[in-house]
């Protein structure tokens, strides 16, 4: 082999020795930069989102009896809302009873809340013990931060409408729950039930 070829071969080997580590490092950086994009956030485990409710509360309720009709005449009730967990599970059960003495009105209700660990959502069932009935389908939803939103459909005056429950203003001593109907399929919402809870 001629000296010219030997020199050329030596230069190529030197170039490879210098550049190969740089190429490897560049490839490693490229791989790490493409794979270091933020991982998809895991679903929020909402199994304990209703833990704040467990215990006994005083309930102050405003109810709009004439709904989706532009009314602003509310009935006002006061009473209790007591919650307990079932068999050390995430499920909880509410006993609710309020009165409006001035109008001789009385509301007694029971609520069952069940958590689905696969969908990360809660199903809320209203129980009518007097009639032996459970509302179906349930109101379904979840919490995002300190706000919970739950939806279902029901018949109202001969048409099917959306129903929304919202839990908000949650603290150790108080919470607020609102029920709303939309007059326009969900673009806007008319609040027709406000329940403000304070620790008994």
């Amino acid at each position: 082999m001629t000296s010219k070829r030997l020199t050329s071969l030596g230069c190529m080997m030197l170039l490879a020795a210098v550049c190969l580590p740089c190429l490897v490092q560049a490839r490693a950086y490229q791989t790490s930069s493409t794979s270091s994009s933020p991982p998809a956030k895991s679903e929020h485990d909402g199994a304990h989102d209703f833990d704040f409710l467990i215990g006994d509360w005083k309930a102050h309720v405003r109810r709009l009896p004439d709904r989706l009709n532009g009314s602003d005449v509310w009935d006002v009730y006061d009473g209790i809302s007591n919650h307990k967990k079932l068999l050390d599970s995430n499920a909880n059960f509410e006993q609710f009873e309020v009165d409006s003495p001035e109008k001789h009105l009385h509301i007694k209700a029971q609520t069952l809340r069940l958590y689905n660990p696969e969908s990360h959502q809660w199903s809320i069932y209203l129980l009518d013990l007097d009639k032996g009935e459970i509302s179906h389908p349930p109101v379904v939803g979840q919490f995002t931060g300190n706000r919970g939103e739950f939806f279902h459909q029901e018949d109202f005056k001969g048409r099917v409408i959306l129903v929304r429950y919202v839990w908000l203003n949650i603290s150790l001593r108080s919470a607020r729950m609102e029920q709303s109907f939309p007059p326009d399929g969900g673009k806007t919402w008319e609040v027709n039930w406000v329940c403000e809870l304070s620790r008994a």
Side-chain angles (χ1 to χ4, degrees), residues 49-122:
D49 282 343
F50 273 112
D51 281 4
F52 74 91
L53 263 184
I54 304 306
D56 297 338
W57 300 81
K58 292 185 289 186
H60 178 72
V61 173
R62 292 189 303 118
R63 178 180 178 272
L64 187 68
D66 189 12
R67 300 171 179 184
L68 299 183
N69 200 28
S71 174
D72 62 356
V73 178
W74 293 75
D75 293 333
V76 179
Y77 302 76
D78 285 290
I80 56 99
S81 175
N82 299 334
H83 304 254
K84 64 179 180 180
K85 288 196 174 189
L86 299 179
L87 299 175
D88 295 321
S89 69
N90 295 317
N92 63 73
F93 184 75
E94 173 190 16
Q95 293 179 292
F96 177 88
E97 191 166 14
V98 292
D99 290 291
S100 179
E102 291 181 1
K103 295 190 175 182
H104 305 288
L105 299 173
H106 179 76
I107 299 175
K108 179 175 67 174
Q110 296 79 30
T111 305
L112 175 65
R113 301 181 185 92
L114 303 175
Y115 182 70
N116 185 324
E118 294 183 1
S119 67
H120 302 276
Q121 292 185 313
W122 287 88

Side-chain angles (χ1 to χ4, degrees), residues 11-79:
C11 288
M12 289 173 58
M13 291 178 66
L14 180 62
L15 186 63
V18 171
C19 291
L20 186 59
C22 295
L23 289 172
V24 171
Q25 186 175 6
R27 177 63 180 159
Y29 173 78
Q30 183 182 26
T31 302
S32 66
S33 64
T34 55
S35 64
S36 66
S37 53
K41 289 184 179 179
S42 59
E43 292 258 20
H44 168 64
D45 179 7
H48 297 282
D49 282 343
F50 273 112
D51 281 4
F52 74 91
L53 263 184
I54 304 306
D56 297 338
W57 300 81
K58 292 185 289 186
H60 178 72
V61 173
R62 292 189 303 118
R63 178 180 178 272
L64 187 68
D66 189 12
R67 300 171 179 184
L68 299 183
N69 200 28
S71 174
D72 62 356
V73 178
W74 293 75
D75 293 333
V76 179
Y77 302 76
D78 285 290

